[in-house]
Amino acid sequence: MKYFTTTSKASRRAVDCVIVGVYNRGKLGVGAADIDAASKGFIRKLLKSGDVSGEAGQVAVLNGVSGVKACRVVVVGLGKAGNLDASSFRKAVATATRAIAHTKARQILNCLTLEPVAGADPYYLARHTVESVSDVLYRFEQMKSGRKKAAMPLNTIGLAIAKRGDAAKATRGAEHGDGIAAGVSLAKDLGNLPANVCTPSYLARVAKKLASGNGKLSTRVLNEAEMKKLGMGSLLSVTAGAVEPAKLIVMQYKGAGSDQPVVLVGKGVTFDTGGISLKPGAGMDEMKFDMCGAASVIGTMAAVARMKLPINVNVVVGAVENMPSGTATRPGDIVKSMSGQTIEVLNTDAEGRLVLCDALTYSKRFKPAAVIDVATLTGACVVALGSHRCAIYSNNDDLQDEIFASGNSSQDVGWPMPMGEQYAQQLKSNFADMANIGGPGGGSVTAACFLGKFTDGMNWAHLDIAGVAWKSGTQKGATGRPVPMLSEFLLSRARLLP
Ligand code: BES
Ligand code: MN
Ligand code: ZN
């Protein structure tokens, strides 16, 4: 994708498509007012006839508007005047993009960036535009046979700015948006691939390929024998029933010399059958998405590398398949983690934490400035927060606040959740140092408390993304979340945000 910024009026630029907006009660946005004036009142006429509406979600594509240099004018409804915020801005850009996705338009000029949007400046408006367009244009067709659909012709996004002085901010926003969109798209691809393709070895290959030819990025992959040597009995207990070999994927991006790195840890369960505590059959296919934590940290690393951030970031992915078999771990088995703590595996379906605890212990060697693990960890999190926000846990209130803020400004939102000794008590075991499940009630919280037993001495946060990582139903597919939230966090740490 190519980007440009322009101060020229909506009607004056010869592009394939300009996007303008109208509000409720016929109030024209900046771009729409200009188009209306240039076309002798055409927009107002269409508003009167009802063919154009200010209602949010409404859209009309107008061809060959007289007095306007662009081939197409897309008019989107922006809702009540004065109410536009980053979220409704992104929705409006998505609506406009969907309306022209089937056309042959190669360039779009987004004039919605001229509207007043609460809490967003030219940087964020450019970034949100690029991310939103990319989100809508994303297709996953690599597993379909037959004639491949022609690639989308759209290859240029223009960003209208009010004054020359905004050009640098908008350009940087577009660049960052481009990097984040690439990371989101990679995370979606990895999530959408079936488990017979996206195995632990496949994830390792993708991580290696990302690093090849990039002097700042390196990838190392540990095999099961090496993990055994490190004492990762917990992680290895999850792969005990699987034929696919487990991998520990370690990526290091050095953009800032010898600074302490931020370490991102991902749950990479490439398929979660539940193991001997087998899941019910209905909807089990969606457990191919149980590696979306891994996909998001690898995707974030791709974004970081593309944006060439001046910061150190490491990624640690525990990649395993959770399968039942004669060699699988049984309920009641006791395993020893790399930390030395023993775990009674009361339910083999609570496997994510068994993988993450050893990955977190491994992360200590990097003396992280902060470590954030990302996991589709519990169905209970979906009950608590639905599919709108991920859960944010931390042993450090400042870190929790920082991640919460990153979610808000990137429009990839989470919500702070509690931890504490009362919840941790639920993990007591009569036979080992702890059990891997916390009984009824607060399932997402007790899972976080389990991980908290492996993070002593580190600034640690945990994102339970079970509700946000993918969509079900007719829209079934990975979302690429929380790549935008994590990227925002790293951009902020790199002091590159306005
Ligand atoms: N991968 C699942 C969590 C999950 C379930 C995410 C459904 C999204 C949708 C995880 O490994 C799991 O099975 N968790 C169990 C834990 C329980 C056994 C304590 C769960 O949530 O049921
Ligand atoms: Mn499970
Ligand atoms: Zn799982």
Side-chain angles (χ1 to χ4, degrees):
M1 201 64 86
K2 293 189 287 269
Y3 308 96
F4 67 87
T5 61
T6 178
T7 52
S8 45
K9 298 211 154 121
S11 62
R12 305 300 304 155
R13 187 97 186 192
V15 287
D16 290 349
C17 177
V18 289
I19 301 171
V20 300
V22 298
Y23 296 93
N24 281 346
R25 298 163 167 272
K27 182 178 183 314
L28 302 183
V30 179
D34 175 61
I35 299 277
D36 190 62
S39 62
K40 303 202 173 85
F42 191 51
I43 303 288
R44 282 194 195 285
K45 207 162 106 191
L46 292 179
L47 267 168
K48 261 196 201 120
S49 71
D51 292 8
V52 158
S53 154
E55 240 19 92
Q58 292 298 310
V59 61
V61 181
L62 317 175
N63 281 277
V65 180
S66 75
V68 173
K69 287 201 171 158
C71 313
R72 298 174 191 78
V73 178
V74 178
V75 189
V76 273
L78 299 176
K80 205 170 152 213
N83 270 8
L84 203 58
D85 59 12
S87 166
S88 44
F89 173 85
R90 274 180 81 121
K91 278 194 190 133
V93 174
T95 301
T97 307
R98 248 177 251 116
I100 56 144
H102 64 281
T103 72
K104 294 210 164 71
R106 284 162 304 152
Q107 315 106 16
I108 55 171
L109 169 58
N110 184 17
C111 295
L112 303 180
T113 48
L114 299 172
E115 303 303 317
V117 179
D121 63 356
Y123 166 86
Y124 279 108
L125 293 179
R127 214 178 97 182
H128 288 315
T129 299
V130 173
E131 290 181 40
S132 184
V133 168
S134 165
D135 194 60
V136 169
L137 296 185
Y138 175 84
R139 297 282 180 278
F140 182 79
E141 281 165 348
Q142 49 182 295
M143 304 304 292
K144 296 207 179 184
S145 67
R147 202 163 56 89
K148 292 267 183 271
K149 264 196 206 155
M152 259 296 296
L154 189 75
N155 63 13
T156 306
I157 299 177
L159 301 151
I161 49 173
K163 50 182 196 296
R164 273 285 109 209
D166 290 340
K169 288 178 219 161
T171 302
R172 179 181 267 202
E175 281 166 10
H176 289 173
D178 185 73
I180 294 166
V184 165
S185 177
L186 173 60
K188 285 182 183 174
D189 278 350
L190 294 174
N192 288 334
L193 280 168
N196 63 329
V197 174
C198 186
T199 59
S201 309
Y202 182 92
L203 284 177
R205 278 200 299 278
V206 169
K208 284 213 153 154
K209 204 167 147 208
L210 266 181
S212 80
N214 186 327
K216 289 187 178 152
L217 187 59
S218 62
T219 298
R220 211 184 133 210
V221 178
L222 278 65
N223 62 26
E224 289 181 5
E226 289 165 308
M227 287 190 265
K228 197 166 174 198
K229 249 192 209 150
L230 288 168
M232 294 188 164
S234 181
L235 185 155
L236 289 171
S237 76
V238 177
T239 194
V243 173
E244 280 296 334
K247 304 284 174 188
L248 190 80
I249 304 164
V250 185
M251 308 175 77
Q252 282 190 273
Y253 172 84
K254 276 199 177 303
S258 59
D259 286 7
Q260 287 177 286
V262 171
V263 180
L264 304 176
V265 175
K267 169 179 174 182
V269 175
T270 57
F271 197 80
D272 181 13
T273 64
I276 297 299
S277 313
L278 194 65
K279 285 185 181 293
M284 207 208 272
D285 66 288
E286 295 192 4
M287 282 299 115
K288 74 171 183 176
F289 294 118
D290 211 17
M291 35 56 69
C292 281
S296 74
V297 298
I298 294 172
T300 300
M301 194 56 126
V304 165
R306 195 153 156 146
M307 294 186 280
K308 300 193 170 71
L309 296 193
I311 184 177
N312 291 337
V313 185
N314 293 359
V315 155
V316 178
V317 164
V320 300
E321 204 180 61
N322 187 20
M323 298 291 274
S325 84
T327 58
T329 300
R330 293 154 287 253
D333 284 3
I334 294 176
V335 300
K336 189 167 187 172
S337 67
M338 184 179 173
S339 73
Q341 299 176 93
T342 58
I343 303 159
E344 185 185 12
V345 181
L346 286 177
N347 189 318
T348 64
D349 196 12
E351 85 297 340
R353 61 198 80 182
L354 297 174
V355 173
L356 289 171
C357 70
D358 280 343
L360 284 165
T361 302
Y362 183 86
S363 301
K364 282 195 180 164
R365 67 184 54 209
F366 301 122
K367 302 193 169 51
V371 57
I372 306 174
D373 77 69
V374 189
T376 49
L377 204 60
T378 65
C381 185
V382 191
V383 176
L385 295 177
S387 60
H388 306 295
R389 294 175 183 266
C390 70
I392 308 171
Y393 298 91
S394 182
N395 60 5
N396 178 313
D397 289 348
D398 291 336
L399 180 60
Q400 192 173 35
D401 290 348
E402 194 181 347
I403 295 171
F404 179 55
S406 297
N408 291 339
S409 42
S410 64
Q411 288 297 306
D412 179 8
V413 289
W415 196 257
M417 295 283 277
M419 291 178 59
E421 198 44 44
Q422 288 159 318
Y423 291 102
Q425 290 288 329
Q426 291 182 226
L427 294 163
K428 277 203 161 152
S429 160
N430 285 355
F431 306 108
D433 295 343
M434 69 193 85
N436 77 327
I437 55 173
S444 178
V445 184
T446 53
C449 291
F450 179 94
L451 298 176
K453 293 179 183 292
F454 300 85
T455 59
D456 279 350
M458 298 197 286
N459 285 320
W460 160 75
H462 157 61
L463 304 180
D464 193 336
I465 60 164
V468 305
W470 75 90
K471 292 179 188 158
S472 306
T474 54
Q475 298 292 310
K476 195 190 284 182
T479 60
R481 291 176 67 181
V483 171
M485 176 197 269
L486 294 170
S487 301
E488 179 83 358
F489 177 85
L490 296 170
L491 281 163
S492 161
R493 287 265 164 145
R495 305 192 176 287
L496 288 176
L497 293 176

